[in-house]
Amino acid sequence: MTAQRSGDIRKNLDWSTFAITLALVACGWVSIYSAAYTPEHTAIFDFKSEHGKQLIWIGICAIIGLVLLNTEGEFFIRFSVISYVVVLVLLILVLIIGKKVGGARSWFGIGSFSIQPSEFAKTTTALMLAWFIAQTGSKFKALGTRLQAGLILLIPAGFIMLQPDAGTVLVFAGFIFAMYREGLSGNLLIAGFGAIILTIVAILSGASVFTYPFAGEQSGIYMMLIVLTILAGLFFLGVRTFTLPRYRKKNNRIVLLALVGALGFSYMVNYGIEDILKPHQRERIYVLFGMNSNPDAAYNINNAKAAIGAGGWTGKGFMNGPMTRYKFVPEQHTDFIFSSIGEEWGFLGSTLVIGLFLALILRIIALAERQRSQFSRVYGYAVASIIFMHILINIGMVLGIAPVIGIPLPFFSYGGSSLMGFAILIFIMLRLDAERYSVFR
Amino acid sequence: MNLSNRRYILSGIIVLFGLIFVARLFYLQVASDNWKAKAAVLTEEKIRIYPSRGLIYDRESELLVANRAIYDLMVTPRQTSEFDSLAFCELVGISMNELREKIDKAVRYSRYKASVLKKQIDPSDYARISEQLHKYPGFFGQVRTVRNYQKGIGAHLLGDFAETNPKDLKKDNYYRQGDYIGKSGIESVYEEQLRGIKGSKYVLVDVRNNIQESLSEGDYDTTAVSGSDLTITIDAELQAYAEKLMVNKLGSVVAIEPSTGEILALVSSPGYNPNLLVGAQRGKNYKVLSTDSLKPLYNRALQGQYRPGSIFKMVQSLIALEHDFITPQTRISCNRGIIGCHGAHSYDDLEGAIIHSCNPYFHQVMKRMVEQGEETSRFKDSRLGLASWNKHIKRFGFGTDLRTDLPGMKSGNVPDPSYYDGIYGELAWAYSTIYSISIGEGELLVNPLQMANLAAIIANRGYYYPPHVIRSIGNEGKPEAFRTPISCGVKEEHFTPVVNAMQKVIEQPGGTARRARIEGIEVCGKTGTVQNDPLPDHSVFMSFAPKENPQIAISVYVESSGFGGTWAAPISALLIEKYLTDSISDPRKEQRILDAVFLGP
Ligand SMILES: [Zn+2]
């Protein structure tokens, strides 16, 4: 590494990505200060407090960032396979010697310090996928190659499923975006995504009870089937309105086929779980979705929505939201931190946060697109996908429009592993982007 | 298709979800008030500040009713943690089963809101419990105000102050579950004045329902306004003495100050110490009192209805004089063919007839009033006569509520034509059918308060003030309604022969109420004996004193004790003497009453 190169880094660094990330981290820290506030620990540098500890993590991430920015991009490519394998080993190890937290065996405890290998699995899988696709080059069209790429995702996802940690597994599904960009069929994207979403929704709705007009309380699966049919109907109308007549017949057929497929698939998943599986097996699936380990899910969501609703246009102000201040939302400094943003900063503040996230993701996609190396591009898309899946699941959950699946909100949720994982993702991307002119010609 | 165009599809998906989130946020935060309301329910709490209830003083400014603190042990299920339930039960004094049941009930009501675990713990017990309470998080004491009866008298009059029932809560939204309300007597009539105005304090609570801070720096808070103190017309000393004399007897005493209508004493016997119905023992004591065969909770002074008997002859005399059916000199022979009589007399004038309580005399007097000869049909004539007689009687307050402020009174019965139509059929009765009312028997019913009020009317020679117990609400004095006299429709001059006769009943050798004599005080009275077959008659005495410028009018009922002069008259005399001279000249007379026991069969 030469002085010349490090000079290039500062000049070529995408400062806007850096600035957006920094803004998110700053907002996140302020939110943690408020959400985890205790009158005993008010000083900013009180390292017994959550906000103090998070400050240490931010410092560590800054150092990691500095190191990564000064690491040759070539290193990441070489490092891809090794790191992927190392993290896979850790994912296996954690199942054996990891400590159980909240029903899932996903943490290594080393003294008072604990680390979650699945947070790093996202990064290493992103690198591995980028390496693999870049290596195959134009051969990515071949079915065998695609299956191999799928296997790269499925192996770590499978081990994470065993912890179990449904949220992170879903994040892995986001990699399909990156593969789609590299040529994966759009139908496969839709079908794959559809199957995952249908499975989750079928399991969750099958386990819940709705009150229907006329029919009273029944399994939620019917609600899901009704909603699917309505969506298909809307699609059908959309097809009629926006497509040329000659394509209509074909499109209608597709919509109908998709509907029948989706209904049949959902019903089969539901039937399989409710009627074929034995109770203890079913229990395991529920645990996978955090439904058993968290019986207060409805309570959490209800209070989270109340906290957000209480925010109104401009919010109650920093440290002034009673729902946050008096801890009405469980896990409000980790998975449910968005509720305290909603209460204290209101619609304007929450929208700003969502805007920052969108800006970050779109900016990363823009960075990915300007790469000349396929490795960097695939990696960039993988980073964008990971962040997108996180906010999709987390904010969707807190707003009560996605199932309750524990997953951190990037840069906001309290916790070192998560913050470090995202910092590594972003800084590698920044480094790769910074050398886009000089390497991988 | 160029693969790089796929970035737009992907970006589009991402932006779409961003917009969905913003729309959802807009709904939750701006469009809907639902979630704001839910947050308020969770975080805000209105704490009611209870005003202190007004105290009650007697006419001499003696404190009768004070307040004292009592504690309800509350539990908030969410705040509890594992605890030694055996030690807890021992501390609080409940059984394990009871504890489990109450906590289950509390959980069913709310995990976050407090429920009562044990009601009405006396301060001394609570002091012992509260020392240990820190070991049991989630349990706390809530102070409540209950009454403390300083003299232990006037239970019926003062009334009950107890926890609201669902009906009370529905009727008036001032009350919340667990609040107390005046249930009867003065506590109930003057509830609104006594209770004051509740204050409120809005606070923010944390997730465990612990109060954290006041909401908006107390901008919405209101202060409590204490209830007004009441001064009542009762003379505590007289009331206590009357209660003492009535021990071991069934009956009542009502004493009125004629010049004002103020009730000086109102006793129903058997009574009870009102403190029995306060505090931890209330439930147990209430059960004992309500199942007692002598009905100590029943207020005979207002709800007892008796035939007036001979005393009614006073009213008949006055009406007949006023409407010129007789003069004081009118003599009527004691013809015992239709109606019996007693004593040696044959042809009395009015005074003699009152003194001898001559039944044929008053049979004849009322016959003149009812059969006036306006109609040729005897039936029609009696209808007309009875209708006007009824109106005259009612002006004496009989058959009315007297416009008193005491609740729950039974007004008695003064028959009118339609009443007899109901019994015998229209035009199927005449005076000869109903004549027993002429001597205060038959269908006539009066209560002891009305009887005392009659004494007050005669003492005043023609008018009365609605008998009342309120002397002053706070410093406002008494309501105008009680300061307006009501005429009985008989001119003052007609009272002279009646009053003279009433004095002679007591003073004359051989008078029926010799036992009511008091040395140095001119007492006027009339005995009554209410038939009570097959049991001994009720002894009744109505009197006032002194004759000129009367200070006290009184009615005494002693059930199933026999002739009016034997028991009711001496009790009246003792009360009059006590009230007027503040002493008792003949302790043997007092002892005789104290020793007497008339508790029915
Ligand atoms: Zn006679």
Side-chain angles (χ1 to χ4, degrees):
Chain A
M1 196 163 296
T2 64
Q4 172 80 45
R5 277 261 164 92
S6 68
D8 286 342
I9 280 298
R10 219 172 297 157
K11 214 171 84 190
N12 295 327
L13 185 73
D14 186 59
W15 287 102
S16 59
T17 305
F18 185 77
I20 295 168
T21 309
L22 208 60
L24 285 167
V25 169
C27 291
W29 185 82
V30 168
S31 300
I32 288 171
Y33 185 92
S34 174
Y37 176 84
T38 47
E40 295 81 45
H41 304 288
T42 54
I44 288 175
F45 295 106
D46 184 337
F47 296 122
K48 283 199 182 79
S49 67
E50 269 81 359
H51 63 260
K53 286 184 201 161
Q54 191 72 0
L55 212 53
I56 297 177
W57 287 116
I58 292 170
I60 291 171
C61 288
I63 295 165
I64 291 171
L66 220 59
V67 172
L68 291 176
L69 286 180
N70 287 292
T71 305
E72 295 246 15
E74 186 67 24
F75 173 80
F76 300 122
I77 300 173
R78 295 230 186 99
F79 183 67
S80 302
V81 182
I82 305 156
S83 65
Y84 180 75
V85 173
V86 168
V87 170
L88 264 189
V89 171
L90 289 177
L91 283 176
I92 297 166
L93 273 179
V94 83
L95 291 173
I96 303 162
I97 59 165
K99 62 175 178 176
K100 212 161 183 166
V101 177
R105 203 176 287 280
S106 53
W107 295 82
F108 283 119
I110 308 152
S112 64
F113 183 82
S114 31
I115 197 145
Q116 207 177 3
S118 59
E119 287 298 333
F120 302 100
K122 286 178 269 190
T123 315
T124 56
T125 307
L127 287 170
M128 181 70 193
L129 188 70
W131 176 83
F132 178 77
I133 292 174
Q135 211 202 28
T136 55
S138 54
K139 279 183 287 179
F140 191 63
K141 286 193 181 84
L143 181 67
T145 326
R146 287 181 179 177
L147 286 178
Q148 282 174 42
L151 220 55
I152 290 172
L153 311 181
L154 284 176
I155 293 170
F159 286 122
I160 292 167
M161 186 85 102
L162 290 175
Q163 292 181 353
D165 179 356
T168 307
V169 173
L170 276 177
V171 171
F172 273 70
F175 285 127
I176 295 176
F177 282 135
M179 284 156 73
Y180 169 71
R181 168 63 183 85
E182 296 309 314
L184 194 71
S185 156
N187 291 341
L188 210 64
L189 177 81
I190 294 167
F193 246 93
I196 293 166
I197 292 169
L198 286 177
T199 305
I200 296 164
V201 178
I203 290 171
L204 291 171
S205 61
S208 57
V209 170
F210 274 98
T211 309
Y212 297 90
F214 310 117
E217 289 194 344
Q218 297 287 337
S219 164
I221 189 73
Y222 303 112
M223 177 58 104
M224 179 190 170
L225 299 181
I226 292 167
V227 170
L228 275 178
T229 312
I230 292 169
L231 281 180
L234 290 175
F235 249 86
F236 174 74
L237 288 175
V239 166
R240 279 191 46 176
T241 317
F242 297 113
T243 54
L244 297 169
R246 63 192 146 116
Y247 293 130
R248 264 185 209 157
K249 204 167 178 186
K250 189 185 162 210
N251 283 332
N252 285 345
R253 208 162 53 225
I254 291 170
V255 169
L256 193 69
L257 212 68
L259 174 66
V260 171
L263 290 179
F265 182 78
S266 316
Y267 191 75
M268 267 165 59
V269 168
N270 180 257
Y271 182 77
I273 287 170
E274 299 291 326
D275 297 311
I276 295 177
L277 289 186
K278 298 205 167 65
H280 69 276
Q281 293 169 321
R282 185 159 58 232
E283 209 60 17
R284 244 175 257 159
I285 292 191
Y286 286 164
V287 170
L288 178 70
F289 285 90
M291 275 152 49
N292 221 31
S293 59
N294 189 3
D296 286 338
Y299 170 83
N300 293 8
I301 287 296
N302 203 50
N303 284 11
K305 285 197 276 189
I308 291 169
W313 272 110
T314 54
K316 300 256 181 192
F318 177 58
M319 300 285 290
N320 242 338
M323 292 288 291
T324 299
R325 179 74 190 270
Y326 299 123
K327 316 277 186 269
F328 279 89
V329 185
E331 300 169 52
Q332 61 180 6
H333 63 294
T334 56
D335 290 352
F336 279 86
I337 196 161
F338 196 74
S339 74
S340 71
I341 300 166
E343 185 183 26
E344 300 199 334
W345 305 107
F347 177 71
L348 297 179
S350 313
T351 303
L352 181 72
V353 168
I354 290 174
L356 279 174
F357 273 119
L358 287 187
L360 180 67
I361 294 167
L362 295 178
R363 182 67 197 159
I364 290 172
I365 288 177
L367 296 191
E369 285 294 340
R370 75 184 184 190
Q371 302 305 313
R372 284 148 62 203
S373 108
Q374 199 179 12
F375 176 86
S376 303
R377 189 175 68 219
V378 175
Y379 178 77
Y381 266 99
V383 172
S385 306
I386 291 169
I387 297 172
F388 174 63
M389 289 307 284
H390 266 268
I391 68 160
L392 192 67
I393 297 168
N394 180 284
I395 298 182
M397 165 185 80
V398 176
L399 293 182
I401 49 179
V404 178
I405 295 171
I407 192 170
L409 183 61
F411 313 111
F412 277 78
S413 291
Y414 168 74
S417 289
S418 161
L419 185 67
M420 237 185 321
F422 285 108
I424 292 168
L425 275 178
I426 297 274
F427 279 117
I428 291 176
M429 185 63 215
L430 285 177
R431 171 69 207 196
L432 292 174
D433 177 65
E435 22 179 91
R436 64 189 182 277
Y437 298 119
S438 52
V439 286
F440 311 124
R441 290 133 296 247
Chain B
M1 191 165 108
N2 188 343
L3 283 180
S4 68
N5 281 341
R6 289 190 168 185
R7 78 176 277 197
Y8 299 110
I9 293 176
L10 290 173
S11 302
I13 292 173
I14 290 161
V15 171
L16 176 72
F17 277 103
L19 290 176
I20 290 174
F21 284 168
V22 171
R24 175 70 174 169
L25 277 172
F26 186 82
Y27 165 71
L28 288 176
Q29 300 189 296
V30 182
S32 163
D33 285 331
N34 188 12
W35 297 100
K36 288 175 194 60
K38 282 197 177 161
V41 166
L42 288 167
T43 59
E44 294 169 14
E45 196 162 292
K46 180 181 178 183
I47 294 176
R48 294 185 172 75
I49 303 165
Y50 285 83
S52 66
R53 191 170 176 87
L55 308 180
I56 302 179
Y57 296 92
D58 89 335
R59 65 191 293 114
E60 308 289 344
S61 301
E62 287 252 23
L63 185 59
L64 289 180
V65 185
N67 293 324
R68 74 178 167 97
I70 201 160
Y71 297 85
D72 284 352
L73 186 63
M74 311 292 285
V75 59
T76 311
R78 175 85 181 190
Q79 293 170 12
T80 58
S81 51
E82 286 281 310
F83 63 96
D84 180 352
S85 50
L86 203 68
F88 181 81
C89 285
E90 201 163 307
L91 175 71
V92 177
I94 55 173
S95 70
M96 286 290 273
N97 271 339
E98 217 176 321
L99 176 69
R100 212 169 300 127
E101 223 169 82
K102 294 272 181 165
I103 289 189
D104 282 352
K105 203 177 150 197
V107 168
R108 261 177 279 130
Y109 168 64
S110 167
R111 282 182 183 279
Y112 299 90
K113 297 209 162 107
S115 298
V116 179
L117 188 87
K118 190 180 186 204
K119 271 182 192 171
Q120 308 204 326
I121 302 170
D122 284 322
S124 57
D125 287 332
Y126 182 71
R128 183 176 51 79
I129 293 169
S130 70
E131 272 173 25
Q132 306 281 324
L133 223 45
H134 64 272
K135 292 185 201 160
Y136 307 102
F139 294 90
F140 64 97
Q142 162 136 1
V143 65
R144 301 240 180 238
T145 298
V146 292
R147 291 304 217 181
N148 189 14
Y149 301 95
Q150 304 288 299
K151 296 177 186 292
I153 56 168
H156 296 105
L157 181 81
L158 296 168
D160 197 12
F161 179 59
E163 200 179 327
T164 44
N165 59 30
K167 233 168 87 188
D168 300 322
L169 297 177
K170 219 173 141 189
K171 215 161 69 188
D172 189 342
N173 64 10
Y174 176 90
Y175 302 100
R176 291 287 170 274
Q177 183 132 35
D179 284 5
Y180 278 50
I181 186 172
K183 294 269 183 186
S184 57
I186 291 169
E187 295 279 15
S188 139
V189 181
Y190 296 101
E191 169 68 17
E192 266 178 52
Q193 290 85 348
L194 285 168
R195 74 187 181 190
I197 301 166
K198 271 186 214 168
S200 51
K201 189 171 157 56
Y202 292 85
V203 292
L204 288 174
V205 296
D206 70 10
V207 67
R208 292 182 170 277
N209 212 37
N210 297 319
I211 294 166
Q212 291 293 343
E213 54 181 303
S214 56
L215 181 67
S216 308
E217 282 150 9
D219 282 351
Y220 304 112
D221 297 356
T222 55
T223 48
V225 180
S226 298
S228 306
D229 292 346
L230 299 186
T231 304
I232 60 172
T233 62
I234 296 298
D235 182 317
E237 220 177 310
L238 186 70
Q239 173 81 19
Y241 188 57
E243 289 187 15
K244 187 174 150 195
L245 294 179
M246 290 301 287
V247 168
N248 286 332
K249 293 157 197 78
L250 303 176
S252 63
V253 171
V254 180
I256 297 174
E257 183 179 66
S259 58
T260 57
E262 293 180 352
I263 296 173
L264 300 170
L266 188 135
V267 177
S268 174
S269 187
Y272 58 93
N273 186 324
N275 286 316
L276 286 176
L277 293 188
V278 181
Q281 303 301 311
R282 176 186 166 91
K284 204 183 83 196
N285 290 337
Y286 188 85
K287 208 174 161 196
V288 170
L289 289 172
S290 59
T291 54
D292 190 326
S293 65
L294 299 179
K295 297 186 181 166
L297 294 175
Y298 173 63
N299 187 354
R300 291 174 158 79
L302 297 177
Q303 298 176 318
Q305 298 188 98
Y306 309 88
R307 278 177 289 197
S310 312
I311 296 171
F312 199 63
K313 291 164 185 166
M314 312 284 98
V315 187
Q316 299 281 48
S317 311
L318 291 166
I319 295 171
L321 287 169
E322 174 70 25
H323 299 283
D324 299 327
F325 294 106
I326 55 169
T327 68
Q329 290 73 41
T330 304
R331 286 179 185 275
I332 296 170
S333 68
C334 181
N335 178 354
R336 303 185 185 186
I338 300 171
I339 196 163
C341 200
H342 29 71
H345 58 275
S346 56
Y347 192 55
D348 276 334
D349 63 1
L350 178 63
E351 201 178 285
I354 292 174
I355 293 167
H356 299 127
S357 205
C358 181
N359 290 340
Y361 189 97
F362 288 99
H363 174 265
Q364 202 47 234
V365 168
M366 188 161 174
K367 189 174 164 69
R368 292 183 189 182
M369 291 194 279
V370 174
E371 294 184 351
Q372 295 182 28
E374 306 263 331
E375 292 274 350
T376 47
S377 156
R378 169 166 87 80
F379 300 104
K380 285 187 181 170
D381 203 30
S382 294
R383 268 187 79 81
L384 279 177
L386 187 72
S388 72
W389 175 84
N390 178 283
K391 258 185 270 158
H392 301 321
I393 298 293
K394 284 202 165 155
R395 294 196 68 177
F396 281 80
F398 295 114
T400 74
D401 64 3
L402 295 174
R403 304 187 210 169
T404 178
D405 55 352
L406 285 173
M409 191 174 103
K410 293 221 167 98
S411 316
N413 185 34
V414 180
D416 59 5
S418 62
Y419 178 84
Y420 285 120
D421 288 349
I423 297 176
Y424 303 108
E426 215 168 321
L427 296 179
W429 55 271
Y431 179 63
S432 55
T433 327
I434 62 166
Y435 65 84
S436 61
I437 61 173
S438 66
I439 58 163
E441 300 292 340
E443 294 80 6
L444 274 169
L445 287 175
V446 305
N447 69 38
L449 179 65
Q450 290 169 335
M451 200 53 109
N453 190 55
L454 173 64
I457 292 172
I458 300 173
N460 287 337
R461 276 64 164 183
Y463 61 91
Y464 69 96
Y465 294 89
H468 55 276
V469 285
I470 191 68
R471 207 150 194 247
S472 184
I473 298 168
N475 299 318
E476 286 172 25
K478 72 173 70 159
E480 183 63 35
F482 301 131
R483 285 186 271 149
T484 317
I486 300 168
S487 165
C488 74
V490 176
K491 284 189 277 297
E492 191 181 343
E493 64 209 58
H494 300 307
F495 283 85
T496 311
V498 173
V499 170
N500 286 339
M502 284 173 73
Q503 189 187 10
K504 284 182 183 157
V505 163
I506 291 163
E507 302 286 340
Q508 238 177 28
T512 51
R514 295 277 300 157
R515 287 184 195 274
R517 276 188 62 176
I518 308 164
E519 208 49 52
I521 301 172
E522 288 184 310
V523 181
C524 301
K526 179 77 187 84
T527 56
T529 303
V530 180
Q531 286 160 25
N532 187 33
D533 284 337
L535 299 175
D537 295 342
H538 299 322
S539 168
V540 189
F541 193 65
M542 174 214 74
S543 57
F544 65 88
K547 187 182 174 191
E548 304 306 328
N549 197 13
Q551 304 288 304
I552 180 168
I554 194 161
S555 79
V556 176
Y557 280 73
V558 185
E559 291 184 7
S560 309
S561 67
F563 175 60
T566 321
W567 298 106
I571 291 174
S572 303
L574 287 168
L575 291 169
I576 290 168
E577 187 178 17
K578 182 81 177 174
Y579 184 67
L580 294 181
T581 69
D582 210 17
S583 65
I584 295 299
S585 56
D586 186 353
R588 281 173 306 152
K589 200 163 152 186
E590 182 182 52
Q591 197 56 48
R592 175 177 169 269
I593 301 296
L594 293 176
D595 292 342
V597 176
F598 295 108
L599 290 177

